[in-house]
Amino acid sequence: MRNISKVAGLIGAIGAMLSFPAYAQSYAQVFAELEQAVTENFYDPHFGGRNWREIADRYRSEMANVKTDSEFQRLGQRMLNELGVSHVVLHLPGTNRPTMGLGARWERIGSYDVVVDIDPASGARAAGLRIGDRILNPEAIRGPRQEAALLDVERCDGSHAQLTVPRESAYWPPREKTISWSVLRRGDGRTVGYIRADRFGDDAADLVDEAMETVGSTDGLLIDIRNNSGGNASALRLLGYFADPGPGIALLSRPFLEKLDGPVEASDLANIHRVSRAYTTEAIFDAVRQGKGAVMLMIEDLGERRYRKPVVVLIGPETGSAAEGFAWGLREQTKAVLVGRDTAGALLSSQPFDLSLGWRVTLPVHGNWGPDGRDFGDRAVPPHITTELTREAVCRGEDFDLATATGVLESAWQAGQ
């Protein structure tokens, strides 16, 4: 039946193509390929209870009005957004991002986006954007890369300014060493380790071992993943320093999920393929293939290298994807204390697919489940201790998250941990 449905869908798409004016037929072709890519590769065979065929038909009816790449991109992205998940992006030809933002990071505080960091080499800094600026017209942040953003901002002192800020792609690619570390020696004789992990990429496992070689003998450890955009399951190497060995997280894809009669249960995961040390993207995708659509990624036994002193982890709305998997592992399987604000809620594993005429689409191809069968896909991780980010603190250059985390370590030491 599935093959018959595919053929019917393609016939309908071809019919729609032939009814379009000549200038729109190329978009109709790409639309048909986009629909088919989702139909065949989206990780959830039930589409979260949504009717993907009905969604595609509804947007296909709007195709006659599409005349430019930008119009097609907006229509296709709106269609993808109806899937209700993260990691769905339709890329314009010749680009990795359909639109661009600013060379800065901002966070929602109250009713406004407030600048919390600016790339040191950015045109945003040169244009006069400053940390603490409240962006009064956030709709202007993102747009075509060739057009500057015209921003209305309120300064920390209450004055207003209008800025012409070039659109840039900052913070990507990430820094050369995405994991950095240091040790603080306190006057009371205690030491504190600090690990900043901005990405869990193919190099992360080796960097984690280097970091823990340095900070592994400290009296307390702070791990900062507030700006960690994700990566891959190399985060399990770091988790292994704090958690008991055993099942870590299950990656499940369409070939496995479509065989189940209902939602995933713990019993469904008991005998799936198990792999340790799958710390590169290639190794992870290979493990899923070997497991015929399912793999349980294991936490290694690090023996005497286990870190047993207090651990505090900083999280926030920029903590996404694989970093959220790491945060869930810490919360569920260790005594680490999470400090900050809810994470992004974007925990899925994605893959790009090429379409005609240079178009590309990124789609989630693996979901993430705990060993007990809980679906962690796109679930934000809540902190144990919630901090409130205030604009006043941003303007003063204060890092209340770190101050709170240090206080947690102090309390743990006082409790004799």
Side-chain angles (χ1 to χ4, degrees):
M1 291 294 294
R2 188 183 307 142
N3 290 333
I4 293 175
S5 298
K6 289 181 185 177
V7 172
L10 287 173
I11 291 174
I14 292 170
M17 285 174 58
L18 295 176
S19 67
F20 289 167
Y23 63 80
Q25 289 188 16
S26 60
Y27 295 128
Q29 175 185 346
V30 178
F31 185 96
E33 293 176 2
L34 174 61
E35 178 187 0
Q36 186 173 359
V38 175
T39 300
E40 295 182 349
N41 298 290
F42 188 72
Y43 81 103
D44 179 4
H46 307 294
F47 297 96
R50 298 168 178 82
N51 187 330
W52 170 242
R53 179 57 55 79
E54 184 277 329
I55 292 172
D57 287 344
R58 179 155 38 86
Y59 281 89
R60 185 182 294 107
S61 68
E62 300 180 31
M63 283 292 294
N65 299 321
V66 170
K67 298 179 177 63
T68 67
D69 283 0
S70 295
E71 290 174 349
F72 179 75
Q73 193 281 325
R74 287 194 293 270
L75 182 143
Q77 188 63 54
R78 285 193 293 114
M79 180 174 71
L80 292 173
N81 290 345
E82 293 211 22
L83 291 169
V85 299
S86 66
H87 294 75
V88 287
V89 182
L90 179 60
H91 304 277
L92 283 159
T95 69
N96 288 324
R97 296 178 179 225
T99 61
M100 298 183 75
L102 310 176
R105 286 193 175 103
W106 53 91
E107 190 165 334
R108 195 76 172 175
I109 301 178
S111 300
Y112 296 96
D113 292 317
V114 176
V115 177
V116 296
D117 188 47
I118 302 176
D119 187 285
S122 69
R125 184 181 296 276
L129 195 67
R130 298 292 179 261
I131 291 175
D133 281 350
R134 176 184 283 167
I135 301 175
L136 303 179
N137 56 336
E139 69 279 358
I141 291 175
R142 300 197 67 83
R145 57 181 177 172
Q146 67 273 17
E147 298 178 7
L150 303 178
L151 298 183
D152 295 325
V153 302
E154 180 188 83
R155 303 295 197 183
C156 288
D157 63 4
S159 63
H160 289 252
Q162 291 185 326
L163 305 175
T164 301
V165 182
R167 291 198 172 93
E168 302 166 303
S169 179
Y171 308 103
W172 188 266
R175 295 183 301 173
E176 182 176 347
K177 284 198 172 183
T178 54
I179 297 177
S180 57
W181 55 92
S182 60
V183 174
L184 171 70
R185 291 169 176 81
R186 295 163 45 108
D188 61 5
R190 290 192 176 96
T191 56
V192 178
Y194 174 78
I195 295 177
R196 173 171 168 164
D198 289 339
R199 185 80 178 167
F200 290 118
D202 287 355
D203 60 345
D206 289 340
L207 290 173
V208 163
D209 288 342
E210 287 186 52
M212 293 305 299
E213 184 70 24
T214 300
V215 305
S217 59
T218 56
D219 298 299
L221 183 58
L222 302 175
I223 302 176
D224 191 343
I225 57 171
R226 287 176 292 179
N227 293 314
N228 192 311
S229 59
N232 57 39
S234 57
L236 287 176
R237 181 64 177 186
L238 185 55
L239 184 62
Y241 280 91
F242 318 114
D244 291 334
I249 193 165
L251 297 185
L252 308 179
S253 63
R254 194 183 191 101
F256 178 83
L257 293 170
E258 61 189 3
K259 296 177 182 178
L260 302 182
D261 295 328
V264 176
E265 298 180 357
S267 58
D268 297 318
L269 307 179
N271 298 311
I272 63 174
H273 185 47
R274 298 190 171 204
V275 172
S276 294
R277 299 183 61 82
Y279 294 150
T280 67
T281 300
E282 181 180 356
I284 293 164
F285 274 79
D286 185 60
V288 175
R289 284 192 294 269
Q290 290 185 28
K292 298 180 180 179
V295 63
M296 179 66 74
L297 300 175
M298 307 295 287
I299 300 171
E300 287 187 74
D301 185 354
L302 296 180
E304 295 181 356
R305 287 183 289 175
R306 281 278 300 276
Y307 187 89
R308 302 186 183 276
K309 298 294 179 66
V311 177
V312 185
V313 182
L314 288 86
I315 62 174
E318 292 295 317
T319 306
S321 198
E324 293 181 280
F326 174 64
W328 273 119
L330 289 167
R331 186 177 175 89
E332 299 293 322
Q333 302 186 50
T334 78
K335 296 180 179 180
V337 178
L338 275 58
V339 171
R341 292 164 297 288
D342 285 1
T343 61
L347 178 54
L348 289 171
S349 178
S350 63
Q351 181 178 344
F353 297 89
D354 291 331
L355 308 174
S356 292
L357 306 175
W359 290 85
R360 296 169 67 245
V361 61
T362 296
L363 298 171
V365 293
H366 307 141
N368 299 267
W369 278 260
D372 59 358
R374 278 183 295 171
D375 184 356
F376 288 137
D378 281 355
R379 287 181 57 194
V381 186
H384 294 103
I385 299 175
T386 300
T387 58
E388 181 181 359
L389 185 67
T390 67
R391 188 187 178 211
E392 291 73 22
V394 173
C395 288
R396 291 193 299 265
E398 297 177 2
D399 192 332
F400 190 62
D401 296 340
L402 269 174
T404 302
T406 301
V408 173
L409 286 183
E410 295 274 4
S411 298
W413 291 330
Q414 292 174 10
Q417 298 180 22

